[in-house]
């Protein structure tokens, strides 16, 4: 029997990644869509042949029985829409950031547990083969206790923060719908810029890969000419004594290659991971172990989270991007913004 899937939000990412992946699954059926914009909704329903379309999640859930739901709405709407589905025991793939407010993330984690529903957060890097292999090596003690981490994420999003998605049409690909001009540029919808849109990815990857627990965050932000933050610099102290840095900017020019590099130094060695180049290596007393380079399609496996959702709805597999990591990324980003605003060191685990 096919898993019955609903998709809430018919913007760029759901029509670029989630709906095409679902269309290829013989054991999944997209039974309904919802979007507040009638034009986006009609375009997506027509492109993917979905029979039922609704203006909102509540109307959809009242009318259609579903096993799982993809929530791909603007950041500020993540919490209420995901809550509607989880209250009914529906499995949910929720776009990042999980929520803007840490309290809402805590609530969704508890609600999913109480209803016996799976809650996944859309972090494709968690399914990257290099990430999974290095995660096992770190957990097994290959490089010893982690003492220092360094993360750089530089992406091509400046014009999105300005409210203009058009410069990225060729690079990003908008097969059905482009991003709405306000989705990333309006703080009331996005909750912020680089922090909510990109650092959430980097922070979640760092926490997923290493198992570290940040206990002190000191940050600076720079908005330049934009209504939201473009660049952020963060120093972090972790439980157990490790320290590190995370830097991110959205200023890479359209058409140029983005950068995502992560370095983890332990007492007995270190690892180097370049996500966008598809390279990874482990350095220890025995020398250097190079992992086989990844083809481009495996570096950012954008279809993997929704494939995982279908498997879970069918009673197979395990949650590869659990809500607890999403919650901790929300706390990290919230701590970053508070630190930058107050000039203080903030413990994410108090949020």
């Amino acid at each position: 029997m096919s898993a019955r899937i609903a998709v809430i939000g018919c913007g760029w990412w759901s029509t670029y990644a989630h709906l095409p992946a679902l269309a290829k699954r013989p054991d999944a059926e997209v039974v309904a869509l919802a979007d507040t914009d009638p034009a986006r909704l009609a375009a997506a329903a027509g492109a993917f042949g979905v029979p039922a379309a609704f203006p909102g999640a509540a109307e959809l859930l009242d009318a259609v029985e579903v096993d799982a739901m993809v929530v791909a709405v603007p950041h500020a709407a993540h919490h209420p829409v995901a809550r509607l589905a989880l209250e009914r025991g529906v499995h949910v793939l929720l776009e990042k950031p999980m929520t803007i407010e840490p309290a809402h993330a805590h609530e969704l984690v508890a609600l999913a547990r109480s209803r016996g529903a799976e809650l996944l957060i859309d972090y494709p890097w968690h399914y990257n083969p290099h990430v999974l292999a290095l995660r096992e090596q770190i957990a097994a003690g290959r490089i010893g206790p982690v003492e220092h981490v360094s993360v750089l994420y530089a992406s091509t999003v400046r014009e999105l923060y300005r409210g203009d998605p058009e410069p990225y049409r060729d690079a990003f690909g908008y097969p059905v719908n482009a991003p709405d001009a306000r989705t990333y540029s309006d703080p009331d919808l996005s909750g912020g810029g680089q922090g909510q849109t990109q650092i959430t990815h980097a922070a979640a990857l760092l926490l997923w890969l290493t198992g570290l627990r940040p206990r002190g965050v000191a940050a600076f932000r720079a908005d330049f000419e934009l209504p939201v933050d473009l660049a952020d610099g963060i120093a972090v102290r972790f439980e157990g004594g490790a320290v590190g840095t995370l830097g991110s900017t959205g200023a890479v020019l359209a058409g140029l290659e983005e950068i995502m590099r992560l370095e983890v130094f332990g007492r007995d060695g270190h690892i180097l991971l370049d996500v966008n180049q598809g390279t990874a290596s482990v350095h220890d007393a025995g020398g250097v172990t190079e992992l086989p380079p990844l083809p481009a399609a495996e570096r950012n496996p954008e279809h993997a989270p929704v494939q995982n959702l279908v498997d879970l709805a069918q009673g197979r597999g395990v949650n590869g991007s659990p809500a607890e990591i999403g919650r901790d990324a929300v706390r990290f980003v919230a701590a970053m913004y508070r630190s930058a605003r107050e000039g203080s060191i903030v413990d994410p685990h108090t949020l």
Side-chain angles (χ1 to χ4, degrees), residues 29 292-293 339 348:
E29 179 186 4
S339 172

Side-chain angles (χ1 to χ4, degrees), residues 134-153:
L134 293 174
R135 185 171 185 261
E136 289 185 359
Q137 296 274 2
I138 292 171
R142 173 78 180 270
I143 63 170
V146 174
E147 297 175 340
H148 184 269
V149 297
S150 175
V151 182
L152 171 63
Y153 186 19

Side-chain angles (χ1 to χ4, degrees), residues 105-300:
H106 288 293
E107 179 188 341
L108 293 182
V109 168
L111 182 58
R113 288 175 181 167
S114 69
R115 296 297 193 271
E118 293 287 352
L119 177 56
L120 302 81
I121 311 304
D122 188 29
Y123 291 122
W125 289 335
H126 293 184
Y127 301 85
N128 174 301
H130 280 170
V131 171
L132 294 173
L134 293 174
R135 185 171 185 261
E136 289 185 359
Q137 296 274 2
I138 292 171
R142 173 78 180 270
I143 63 170
V146 174
E147 297 175 340
H148 184 269
V149 297
S150 175
V151 182
L152 171 63
Y153 186 19
S155 60
T156 304
V157 289
R158 187 182 205 124
E159 299 309 315
L160 289 181
Y161 299 153
R162 201 188 307 281
D164 183 8
E166 286 307 307
Y168 307 117
R169 183 171 289 277
D170 291 338
F172 289 177
Y174 303 145
V176 180
N177 291 320
D180 185 87
R182 295 178 58 218
T183 297
Y184 300 102
S185 63
D186 184 346
D188 290 337
L189 291 181
S190 65
Q194 194 71 1
Q196 300 291 6
T197 301
Q198 305 288 48
I199 288 177
T200 180
H201 277 296
L205 176 59
L206 173 63
L207 301 179
W208 177 245
L209 181 68
T210 64
L212 290 171
R213 294 168 56 87
R215 299 308 303 256
V217 167
F220 295 92
R221 65 178 277 179
D223 300 2
F224 300 103
E225 80 285 6
L226 302 172
V228 293
D229 51 303
L230 176 71
D232 300 277
I234 310 158
V236 191
R237 180 178 64 243
F238 297 95
E239 194 171 283
V243 295
T245 60
L246 192 160
S248 188
T249 177
V252 175
L253 296 179
L256 298 183
E257 192 166 15
E258 296 188 336
I259 301 166
M260 177 58 201
R261 290 198 295 262
L262 193 149
E263 303 164 345
V264 182
F265 294 86
R267 183 192 61 201
D268 304 321
H270 65 275
I271 67 168
L272 305 178
L273 171 64
D274 192 315
V275 176
N276 284 10
Q277 293 297 317
T279 61
S281 56
V282 182
H283 305 246
D284 60 13
V288 179
T289 302
E290 300 277 355
L291 278 64
L294 290 182
E298 295 184 32
R299 297 172 193 173
N300 183 42

Side-chain angles (χ1 to χ4, degrees), residues 4 9 15 47 53 56 77 97 117 193 202 235 257 274 296 330 336:
R4 295 170 59 83
T15 55
E257 192 166 15
D274 192 315
V330 168
M336 178 200 88

